[in-house]
Amino acid sequence: MFMRALLLAAALGSMSGCATKIENPTDYITYRNEPLVRQVEEGMTKEQVQAIGGRPSSIVQRSVHPGSCNNYILNHEGQQQAYHVSFGTAGRVQHSGFMTCRQREEVERQRLD
């Protein structure tokens, strides 16, 4: 009985950490070895990100929070996945993940409502 309760608590605890991210965890598993996913960290400059990921497919000016956002397309075994890197006004990474810049803006807008 104790072991079941412990396993249930561990499972619920691990899932609660994912509740704030809307992204699909399968994307992370599939693309985890891509340089943008593996190497880009919060606080990096735009230049550092472009040195790792190359030129983005598009650059979008953020509207919810000031700054800009780079859209990238990741490729793995013939499959493509959108990935974004968001920068603040100082030009440093604030967020990155498996969605487009437009999708990230929608998430931020919903959090403000």
Side-chain angles (χ1 to χ4, degrees):
M1 177 76 170
F2 177 73
M3 187 60 126
R4 275 191 175 166
L6 184 60
L7 287 173
L8 179 61
L12 289 173
S14 66
M15 289 185 346
S16 68
C18 300
T20 58
K21 277 212 166 195
I22 301 173
E23 301 164 357
N24 185 345
T26 304
D27 293 335
Y28 179 78
I29 292 168
T30 303
Y31 297 96
R32 69 182 176 266
N33 291 323
E34 294 294 319
L36 279 170
V37 178
R38 189 179 65 235
Q39 298 174 13
V40 171
E41 297 176 358
E42 192 172 311
M44 286 181 146
T45 65
K46 289 180 183 181
E47 293 77 18
Q48 290 172 314
V49 172
Q50 285 193 352
I52 293 168
R55 289 185 54 188
S57 59
S58 66
I59 300 172
V60 177
Q61 291 303 310
R62 295 170 59 188
S63 60
V64 177
H65 299 290
S68 64
C69 183
N70 291 358
N71 279 310
Y72 289 92
I73 302 296
L74 303 177
N75 293 292
H76 180 76
E77 296 179 359
Q79 294 187 8
Q80 294 185 330
Q81 172 62 48
Y83 193 80
H84 79 281
V85 181
S86 298
F87 301 93
T89 54
R92 298 209 173 255
V93 174
Q94 289 185 328
H95 187 271
S96 61
F98 295 99
M99 59 179 72
T100 65
C101 294
R102 176 177 284 163
Q103 291 169 325
R104 177 66 188 170
E105 286 279 307
E106 287 300 317
V107 169
E108 289 178 358
R109 222 177 253 110
Q110 289 173 359
R111 287 182 180 163
L112 291 176
D113 292 343

